[in-house]
Amino acid sequence: MFRHSQLESVKAWIAHPAHAAMPLHARIQRAIRRLIVDGALGPGKPLPASRALARSLGVSRDTVEAAYAQLHAEGFIDRRVGSGSFVADMTAFTPGRGLSRRDAFARNQAPNLSKRGAAMFSGGGVREMLVPRPFAPGAPETRTFPLQLWERLERQVLKEVGAQALAHGDPQGTAPLRRAIADYVNLERGGRATADRVLVLTSSQQAMSLCANLLLDPGDRIFIEDPAYYGARKAFDAAGLECLPVRVDRQGVAVDQIMAETRKVKAVFLTPSHQFPTGATLALDRRLALIEWAARHQAWIIEDDYDSEFHYAGKPTACVQGLDAHDRTIYIGTFTKSLFPGLRIGYVVLPPQLVKPMTVARTLLDGHSAPLPQLTLARFMEGGHFGAYVRAMRGVYAERRDVLANLVSKHLTDFVEPRIPVGGLQMPCLLTGDLSERVAIDAARRAGVELLGLSALHALDNPKAGFLMGFAACTPAEIEVAVRKLARAFRAVARLQTR
């Protein structure tokens, strides 16, 4: 017979809301199986008679019989005519008789990861939220996206291609989308793209990981901006690369530092249109110098053009890839910022010699991107809807940036100095008062506001303390509410510090 604690354990497992979708006999079977696997019921131990267990659980005998029959079929129990049911003596599986001290200790230790796994995991908390909090950086507005139009285009695709949209897709990406991307990059970004040089991916993060692992070996050196986008640094660290930080000033990455390096460096990572997180635009003479450096050293330029669509003052500068006649630049783009994160479509424009190797490498990672959203996006772009949407959102985001800048100057002037960006979806703010960056970010989180600290984005010493404030996903009214919350939170912790 079960001990009282074992019977209560079965009852609790059966009644748990998470198991409510299972048939009752399956819940009983799973609960008893767990007792056996955990070692609470050892080999040879008798089980209660089906009639007695049914009475204890308040179920029919047939339900318990069905549970016992399944346990017997799976080899967990033996059923002996005239004697009853017993836990099987399984030679291939020895149940754990409760966790040993050693097992319990091991379970609470850090996972035994590879060096690459440890690099991926270290400091890699989940940053994205299902519903972004106010000022979460990089989050676009999604509530105004033309869903009805998107649904209509998706229905058109399904009507025309039918079940083909549900099958495996071209690992390089659907031809209509690759053509649309090439046309867009050439027209809007001054690129040198053709459809056969475009590789459709799930994200810019995947593109950076592919570049790191396909083009460089562990121990190879790569120049990276300082401060830099955390996702890029994580991708390069995880690939075992040696990242050489290069300072960023108001004209972008300091090219003289790159030119002066005497060691072999195989690549440089850039966000030239709108440097993350400073917002600086890489000057033309520096772009040309980097192109010549890459050609001379047979190095790669990895250009992340993550939010170039949103430039609020004049025309954005042409991409580096469009200026590079030597085909040493890999151009990375994404629709995560320009449309919506759930789309999960990014892309790279590759030098011709990298198209096949990069396509094969992505195939090994995840096969291909889903055809249906690709074909729908192609229709969205071909019909002029993408350009119209981006132009409309550019005006919306510019207004929100200005609202945020005014409110920060009005309510947070004792604590921060805003750096109003000429583009992008977030505004850097430098701390000027006595609050530390950590205290400010923690206070904001308690108030329901998400800030990304600037210090962690630096590799070099003496980083400027501050944070990024994403403004794109909040209406002006929401921005005002959040800024007032932030001001109250900062004032409260400042008062505590002065006591």
Side-chain angles (χ1 to χ4, degrees):
M1 290 292 293
F2 283 168
R3 296 194 300 270
H4 176 72
S5 61
Q6 293 168 342
L7 181 62
E8 291 303 310
S9 176
V10 172
K11 288 180 177 179
W13 208 95
I14 293 171
H16 198 287
H19 308 143
M22 290 185 195
L24 186 54
H25 74 274
R27 282 182 267 169
I28 296 171
Q29 177 252 336
R30 297 282 184 88
I32 296 174
R33 186 178 72 183
R34 190 184 67 164
L35 291 175
I36 295 171
V37 170
D38 288 349
L41 291 174
K45 292 291 183 181
L47 298 183
S50 58
R51 191 186 305 277
L53 183 57
R55 187 165 51 249
S56 298
L57 297 177
V59 301
S60 72
R61 184 184 179 190
D62 288 344
T63 299
V64 175
E65 280 292 337
Y68 278 5
Q70 184 63 30
L71 287 166
H72 178 64
E74 292 180 356
F76 284 96
I77 67 173
D78 293 326
R79 310 200 73 182
R80 305 169 193 167
V81 177
S83 298
S85 300
F86 300 83
V87 177
D89 185 8
M90 297 166 280
T91 57
F93 168 73
T94 302
R97 292 168 177 79
L99 278 179
S100 68
R101 233 180 244 181
R102 179 178 175 182
D103 291 335
F105 178 78
R107 181 172 286 185
N108 292 321
Q109 297 307 296
N112 187 20
L113 302 176
S114 67
K115 290 181 180 178
R116 184 180 294 110
M120 294 171 69
F121 179 67
S122 63
V126 177
R127 297 180 185 277
E128 296 183 12
M129 294 165 284
L130 294 178
V131 179
R133 292 180 182 179
F135 307 140
E141 177 63 85
T142 58
R143 292 167 292 186
T144 58
F145 184 78
L147 275 176
Q148 290 183 332
L149 170 61
W150 187 268
E151 290 169 352
R152 177 164 59 82
L153 296 174
E154 188 175 75
R155 286 195 300 270
Q156 288 177 8
V157 169
L158 285 171
K159 185 176 180 180
E160 292 183 20
V161 304
Q164 184 181 343
L166 311 180
H168 286 280
D170 184 339
Q172 193 177 340
T174 63
L177 180 56
R178 287 190 284 113
R179 286 194 299 268
I181 289 172
D183 289 344
Y184 165 73
V185 171
N186 292 338
L187 180 64
E188 298 293 336
R189 301 297 302 120
R192 297 156 53 93
T194 55
D196 60 335
R197 294 174 61 172
V198 174
L199 172 62
V200 177
L201 300 170
T202 54
S203 65
S204 57
Q205 191 67 37
Q206 186 184 43
M208 286 181 275
S209 294
L210 279 170
C211 290
N213 288 282
L214 189 69
L215 303 179
L216 298 100
D217 291 312
D220 282 347
R221 301 182 187 92
I222 180 172
F223 287 121
I224 184 169
E225 300 164 324
D226 191 69
Y229 172 55
Y230 46 79
R233 183 173 286 135
K234 294 299 293 184
F236 302 145
D237 285 344
L241 308 184
E242 181 183 351
C243 293
L244 303 181
V246 183
R247 71 183 187 281
V248 172
D249 59 28
R250 292 184 180 275
Q251 291 187 301
V253 70
V255 175
D256 57 342
Q257 185 178 336
I258 294 174
M259 301 302 170
E261 180 61 60
T262 57
R263 294 172 293 177
K264 175 68 174 176
V265 182
K266 289 191 174 181
V268 57
F269 172 78
L270 303 169
T271 51
S273 296
H274 177 232
Q275 202 276 331
F276 186 94
T278 67
T281 297
L282 186 62
L284 179 59
D285 60 335
R286 296 188 182 189
R287 293 172 185 241
L288 297 176
L290 282 172
I291 290 170
E292 290 306 312
W293 170 84
R296 187 167 60 253
H297 294 276
Q298 289 297 284
W300 299 107
I301 298 172
I302 303 172
E303 178 182 14
D304 182 10
D305 210 30
Y306 63 101
D307 65 0
S308 62
E309 291 87 359
F310 303 114
H311 196 86
Y312 310 125
K315 288 284 288 182
T317 308
C319 63
V320 173
Q321 192 268 354
L323 301 172
D324 183 4
H326 309 291
D327 282 332
R328 303 302 304 177
T329 302
I330 298 160
Y331 177 90
I332 300 174
T334 178
F335 295 97
T336 295
K337 306 290 191 295
S338 55
L339 293 179
F340 53 93
L343 184 57
R344 305 314 299 154
I345 294 181
Y347 60 92
V348 284
V349 180
L350 296 164
Q353 68 271 30
L354 291 184
V355 173
K356 285 187 178 179
M358 197 74 82
T359 302
V360 170
R362 85 71 50 96
T363 303
L364 295 176
L365 289 179
D366 68 350
H368 62 95
S369 297
L372 183 55
Q374 287 187 70
L375 294 170
T376 305
L377 176 57
R379 292 285 178 96
F380 192 75
M381 297 178 76
E382 292 163 353
H385 308 299
F386 177 70
Y389 181 73
V390 166
R391 286 191 294 274
M393 297 312 294
R394 191 180 294 137
V396 170
Y397 294 160
E399 178 193 7
R400 294 180 180 185
R401 176 203 60 173
D402 294 343
V403 168
L404 176 61
N406 290 334
L407 287 167
V408 167
S409 297
K410 181 178 180 181
H411 297 287
L412 298 175
T413 187
D414 292 338
F415 304 101
V416 299
E417 175 190 329
R419 296 289 176 87
I420 303 173
V422 296
L425 308 182
Q426 53 270 326
M427 183 175 72
C429 290
L430 302 182
L431 283 161
T432 57
D434 295 329
L435 291 186
S436 71
E437 185 177 289
R438 185 72 265 161
V439 167
I441 290 173
D442 288 345
R445 187 170 289 116
R446 290 192 297 271
V449 175
E450 188 73 17
L451 302 175
L452 177 63
L454 293 177
S455 295
L457 305 180
H458 288 75
L460 300 174
D461 294 334
N462 301 318
K464 294 181 179 178
F467 45 78
L468 287 178
M469 302 181 75
F471 51 79
C474 301
T475 65
E478 291 167 341
I479 291 173
E480 181 168 8
V481 169
V483 168
R484 289 180 180 275
K485 284 183 180 179
L486 204 55
R488 288 195 295 269
F490 285 0
R491 284 196 293 269
V493 294
R495 283 195 298 271
L496 289 175
Q497 289 184 350
T498 56
R499 288 181 180 175

